[in-house]
Amino acid sequence: MKKRITSGWVLSFRSEEALHQAVIKLVKEEGVRWEVCAPYPCAAVRLASRHAGRAVGTGVRLWAVTGGLCGFLAVALWIYWTQFCADPLVTQGRVQGWDNWPAYVPPLFEGTLLGTGLLTAAGFLKGAVLPRWNDWAFECDFFRTDEHGDGYFILLEGGREGHSAALAAALQPEASEYIPAEGGRS
């Protein structure tokens, strides 16, 4: 598992195109650790993920299939429990059991869709390249409020002096701020 960046530069970009151009420049740099944050998986996020060896969205299909199976099995077990285990009753002249299978198709279908939808959303959120709630970048005011852009950020590891500072200036962000390792304002 890749070690997360814990301090460095927070760079804000006004548009997806500006973020994409900055990522193209960063891909060419050697020995620099960085992360991309965007409100949705755009071209810059896909390029950054390919460069890091991750594929955005590949796990979502697995989450969807797993959700569908879980939803189907949950409803099937619920039907089994209510029809055979939990004191089966004869209601309105109908005998409970698998002979009434057409009545079980809608709940099984809806349970499958519900499970698929819920776990697909969970898989998307887990696989999205979004900052964590306690991320070090939240020490930066414009990262929390997004006053300079539309949510397009690069988190660049490094200090105030040297290559990282020059690289942060060369990427031409709308705004940038350095956050030290101990957090707080610099």
Side-chain angles (χ1 to χ4, degrees):
M1 180 174 186
K2 181 181 142 190
K3 184 178 148 193
R4 291 189 62 85
I5 298 173
T6 58
S7 67
W9 291 91
V10 179
L11 309 173
S12 175
F13 296 89
R14 181 152 314 273
S15 67
E16 180 184 337
E17 292 81 24
L19 178 69
H20 190 254
Q21 293 303 317
V23 168
I24 289 172
K25 290 178 186 176
L26 279 173
V27 166
K28 296 174 184 174
E29 294 292 324
E30 293 292 327
V32 178
R33 290 185 49 220
W34 48 278
E35 296 176 7
V36 175
C37 298
Y40 53 88
C42 59
V45 172
R46 287 189 296 274
L47 177 62
S49 295
R50 269 196 312 270
H51 177 69
R54 298 185 310 258
V56 175
T58 55
V60 175
R61 288 185 287 267
L62 181 62
W63 281 84
V65 170
T66 304
L69 290 174
C70 288
F72 182 86
L73 289 174
V75 172
L77 289 174
W78 171 69
I79 289 172
Y80 175 75
W81 178 259
T82 58
Q83 297 302 311
F84 296 106
C85 300
D87 194 23
L89 298 173
V90 176
T91 55
Q92 296 180 354
R94 288 185 281 162
V95 177
Q96 304 294 330
W98 295 115
D99 295 336
N100 292 334
W101 69 268
Y104 306 142
V105 171
L108 287 170
F109 177 73
E110 291 172 5
T112 303
L113 288 182
L114 179 64
T116 301
L118 290 176
L119 280 187
T120 300
F124 175 77
L125 291 176
K126 183 186 180 307
V129 184
L130 300 173
R132 296 180 182 169
W133 291 109
N134 60 348
D135 205 327
W136 62 275
F138 285 114
E139 295 291 328
C140 177
D141 277 337
F142 67 81
F143 190 79
R144 286 193 309 260
T145 59
D146 193 22
E147 62 191 43
H148 295 286
D150 290 329
Y152 304 107
F153 296 99
I154 290 179
L155 310 177
L156 179 65
E157 183 179 56
R160 284 187 202 224
E161 296 84 24
H163 185 63
S164 294
L167 188 57
L171 294 175
Q172 300 174 346
E174 187 71 28
S176 66
E177 185 174 337
Y178 176 74
I179 305 295
E182 63 274 358
R185 292 282 172 263
S186 56

